[in-house]
Amino acid sequence: MRNARWKAASRAAIALTGAGALVAGMALFLTAPAAAGTTLGASAAEKGRYFGTAVAAYKLSDSAYTTILNREFNSVTPENEMKIDATEPQQGRFSYSAADQIVSHARSRGMSVRGHTLAWHSQQPPWMESMSGSALRQAMLNHVTQVATHFRGQVVAWDVVNEAFADGSSGGRRDSNLQRTGNDWIEAAFRAADAADPNAKLCYNDYNTDNWTHAKTQGVYNMVRDFKARGVPIDCVGFQSHFNNESPYVSNYRTTLSSFAALGVDVQITELDIQGASAATYRSVVEDCLAVARCNGITVWGIRDSDSWRASQTPLLFNSNGSKKPAYDAVLAALNNGTTPTDPPTDPPTDPPTDPPTTPPPGPGGCTATVSVNQWTGGFVATVKVTAGSSAINGWTVTIGLPSGATVTNAWNANRSGSSGTTNWTNVAYNGQVGAGQSTEYGFQANGTAGSLSPTCSAS
Ligand code: XIL
């Protein structure tokens, strides 16, 4: 972003060369700050951040809602649609339509998507709530793998684990069925998410972790420090920041954000709402984020007060009739006046290549495909591994003959033709190029019985 603005300014300066007396005055203009944005998303983008909101799929048919969403925000978090009860209502049967609807609404409008959430003690489907021990551990890891794989390339950051720490003075873990599978369940979830989607940012997310002096904040901090020291793949920490009379905003919030950032993770404000929506408090929260280089985005937990999970607290930026509240003006002003931090992020973004990448010629080495099946009574999930031969390939087609009675219901990371009998599968945009000897995976879910499947692969 900084780079793109710099290039635009350079082009303008070159265009002005030779314009005589105008040049001096325009040069002054060019060194002035960029024009203030007029929406939350545009103003946050000027500061190298995103401004997002929680979105409910069923509200996407409400035009008053989508008008504000599309105008103001450049990031979305599905409010409930990616939770475990929504995405795996029955064990091994995944349901993505509501989440996919939000993802497609967002991505077709250039908004990024935060995924929320892969592993959590709450909003578990009944089958998971009643599980324990190694069966639960395995089911949780399978859930993380399947869901992160389904959304690979579409979700920029995942709340891999949500709310695993206890409230109060212990600073320790919350008791839950997941915690009882062993203290390493959190890192196991992060490693599974990393394997399924190596490019997504992987976050730990929690509430009441805003006050730097609280035991819970320190407990999470110590876990993140330990993860970084041991190489557990964690990239970010989400602060829900539901502020209310019991859990108010405190001025050491900035210390909390900067202390976590100093561990080498991004920090994000993920579910912001403030009881009563004090303009001053909203402004402070935004200023605190802007003051921390690695605080790279803010998400409010809903658009209008009527959309809030705590509607009676009127905690959001828009009235129920869709009009802007004083808190909105305060947030926009804070985004526009905030300074761009001088301390660069630890991992600065790399410049995009100047020339589009050239397409390598197809390799002669072909490809092979293998399949592993997770069968239950009446259905199965197949994971297909495509491996390039002695040369890199530029695209692939896998053919799988399904036994009679088997019908595909859902697939990820491949295009499909045919849902029964002979099925053909081709790469999608991001997994066609596979290096010599390297592999990529796709999967599908089907009704019926898999039997033994014998995939064949051809490369292009
Ligand atoms: C809330 C949703 O807003 C409600 O619609 C739902 O009934 C319950 O969950 N912490 C979280 C969010 O991580 O997922 C919660 O969202 C709010 C608290």
Side-chain angles (χ1 to χ4, degrees):
M1 178 53 66
R2 280 195 304 277
N3 191 43
R5 277 210 308 275
W6 183 87
K7 279 181 182 159
S10 307
R11 276 198 302 276
I14 290 162
L16 282 167
T17 307
L22 270 179
V23 171
M26 290 308 286
L28 268 180
F29 166 76
L30 285 169
T31 57
T38 55
T39 65
L40 302 172
S43 295
E46 284 288 332
K47 295 292 184 289
R49 271 87 171 174
Y50 64 81
F51 206 97
T53 179
V55 163
Y58 73 91
K59 291 178 184 159
L60 291 174
S61 55
D62 171 353
S63 65
Y65 181 83
T66 53
T67 298
I68 305 174
L69 169 64
N70 298 347
R71 185 186 70 219
E72 296 287 344
F73 297 95
N74 55 10
S75 168
V76 305
T77 305
E79 187 171 358
N80 289 297
E81 292 78 353
M82 288 185 178
K83 293 175 180 173
I84 313 173
D85 58 350
T87 49
E88 196 176 357
Q90 293 171 277
Q91 188 172 15
R93 302 202 178 196
F94 292 86
S95 150
Y96 296 116
S97 55
D100 283 344
Q101 207 189 328
I102 295 176
V103 169
S104 113
H105 182 100
R107 284 171 49 82
S108 66
R109 290 165 178 81
M111 306 170 185
S112 60
V113 180
R114 289 194 89 259
H116 175 78
T117 176
L118 296 171
W120 190 20
H121 69 276
S122 184
Q123 290 184 261
Q124 291 183 358
W127 64 265
M128 185 180 271
E129 274 177 335
S130 64
M131 282 181 104
S132 63
S134 59
L136 173 61
R137 172 69 69 98
Q138 196 47 45
M140 179 274 286
L141 293 175
N142 183 55
H143 180 85
V144 170
T145 301
Q146 296 295 332
V147 178
T149 299
H150 176 81
F151 292 107
R152 181 156 62 191
Q154 304 183 53
V155 162
V156 294
W158 269 110
D159 291 333
V160 177
V161 171
N162 197 34
E163 302 183 348
F165 276 72
D167 293 310
S169 58
S170 79
R173 299 285 182 84
R174 168 197 298 277
D175 179 51
S176 72
N177 60 348
L178 291 168
Q179 180 62 29
R180 289 191 292 270
T181 71
N183 206 48
D184 61 344
W185 74 276
I186 298 181
E187 60 195 85
F190 273 84
R191 291 189 199 283
D194 184 45
D197 189 349
N199 293 323
K201 299 285 185 192
L202 305 180
C203 308
Y204 176 79
N205 192 55
D206 214 330
Y207 68 93
N208 280 356
T209 48
D210 316 293
N211 188 327
W212 180 239
T213 67
H214 277 180
K216 186 173 178 182
T217 310
Q218 293 299 314
V220 175
Y221 177 83
N222 288 331
M223 178 189 74
V224 175
R225 186 172 55 184
D226 171 57
F227 279 10
K228 293 300 286 184
R230 290 191 296 113
V232 177
I234 184 168
D235 303 300
C236 36
V237 176
F239 297 83
Q240 293 185 10
S241 304
H242 296 291
F243 293 120
N244 52 50
N245 297 341
E246 287 70 50
S247 168
Y249 169 82
V250 284
S251 58
N252 69 28
Y253 186 55
R254 189 179 295 197
T255 302
T256 304
L257 297 177
S258 61
S259 300
F260 275 84
L263 293 175
V265 288
D266 288 340
V267 293
Q268 298 166 352
I269 299 169
T270 53
E271 303 182 15
L272 180 63
D273 49 22
I274 303 175
Q275 180 171 18
S278 151
T281 309
Y282 262 107
R283 182 173 61 237
S284 297
V285 170
V286 173
E287 288 173 351
D288 290 341
C289 180
L290 292 177
V292 176
R294 294 196 74 153
C295 181
N296 58 358
I298 299 174
T299 299
V300 287
W301 206 240
I303 298 178
R304 304 159 300 190
D305 284 333
S306 51
D307 299 316
S308 170
W309 70 312
R310 291 174 168 170
S312 65
Q313 295 186 1
T314 60
L316 295 176
L317 301 178
F318 293 86
N319 282 314
S320 298
N321 67 10
S323 59
K324 296 170 180 172
K325 294 165 65 175
Y328 172 95
D329 298 326
V331 167
L332 190 66
L335 289 170
N336 286 333
N337 297 337
T339 50
T340 304
T342 46
D343 47 333
T346 313
D347 304 316
T350 49
D351 284 351
T354 318
D355 299 311
T358 51
T359 307
C367 58
T368 53
T370 55
V371 62
S372 67
V373 170
N374 177 14
Q375 177 80 54
W376 64 85
T377 309
F380 62 94
V381 164
T383 303
V384 183
K385 184 173 184 179
V386 177
T387 305
S390 55
S391 304
I393 60 174
N394 194 31
W396 44 263
T397 301
V398 171
T399 302
I400 301 179
L402 296 177
S404 79
T407 310
V408 178
T409 55
N410 180 28
W412 49 94
N413 294 334
N415 297 310
R416 167 172 63 95
S417 77
S419 57
S420 58
T422 301
T423 58
N424 287 304
W425 307 84
T426 55
N427 61 278
V428 288
Y430 53 83
N431 65 7
Q433 295 186 0
V434 184
Q438 303 293 300
S439 299
T440 187
E441 282 186 351
Y442 74 91
F444 62 90
Q445 186 175 345
N447 295 327
T449 304
S452 69
L453 300 175
S454 311
T456 58
C457 188
S458 65
S460 53

